[in-house]
Amino acid sequence: MTTTLSVELLNRLECTLKQFEQEISDMHIHRDQFKGWFDTDLFHVDAEHPLDYPRETRRYLQRLLRADEPAQREWLAEKISQQLTALHQALAMARRKGAPRR
């Protein structure tokens, strides 16, 4: 699968996930502040902390790297794309609302 997904793209995806995790950590978002951020069709994790969302996306990325079937790879790639977009939008909204930062 790494022949299909370039090392550069994988590094960029991992960097993006790390940035999301750092931003979430820096915001000190309380558990109640992120309830309802995402539709259950988008994220399946029973999130106890906002960091659970990028962690789920990372697990999908790991599954994508191991996937053999083209249909499965396509589904996983689309899922990852949707989750990254949703995380980006949610964090932008949290910044606008003035989530506390360090």
Side-chain angles (χ1 to χ4, degrees):
M1 185 64 197
T2 54
T3 57
T4 306
L5 288 175
S6 72
V7 172
E8 180 182 340
L9 177 58
L10 291 172
N11 287 338
R12 287 176 57 199
L13 290 170
E14 185 60 37
C15 182
T16 297
L17 289 169
K18 285 180 183 177
Q19 288 173 339
F20 287 160
E21 290 170 337
Q22 185 62 52
E23 189 167 356
I24 289 168
S25 293
D26 290 349
M27 287 181 168
H28 299 286
I29 300 169
H30 186 270
R31 173 182 175 152
D32 295 335
Q33 292 175 295
F34 75 92
K35 288 293 183 193
W37 269 16
F38 306 108
D39 188 284
T40 56
D41 290 339
L42 184 59
F43 286 92
H44 296 103
V45 71
D46 186 19
E48 292 294 321
H49 190 277
L51 287 171
D52 292 336
Y53 294 115
R55 289 174 183 155
E56 178 179 318
T57 304
R58 184 174 281 111
R59 284 191 298 274
Y60 277 127
L61 180 57
Q62 291 166 353
R63 284 179 52 194
L64 177 62
L65 295 173
R66 295 187 308 268
D68 293 327
E69 296 295 320
Q72 183 183 25
R73 287 194 307 261
E74 184 178 335
W75 184 90
L76 287 164
E78 181 63 29
K79 186 67 149 181
I80 291 165
S81 175
Q82 291 170 353
Q83 287 185 337
L84 288 172
T85 299
L87 281 164
H88 175 74
Q89 292 171 344
L91 288 171
M93 187 172 23
R95 282 191 302 271
R96 283 192 302 271
K97 288 183 177 182
R101 290 181 172 266
R102 276 187 199 174

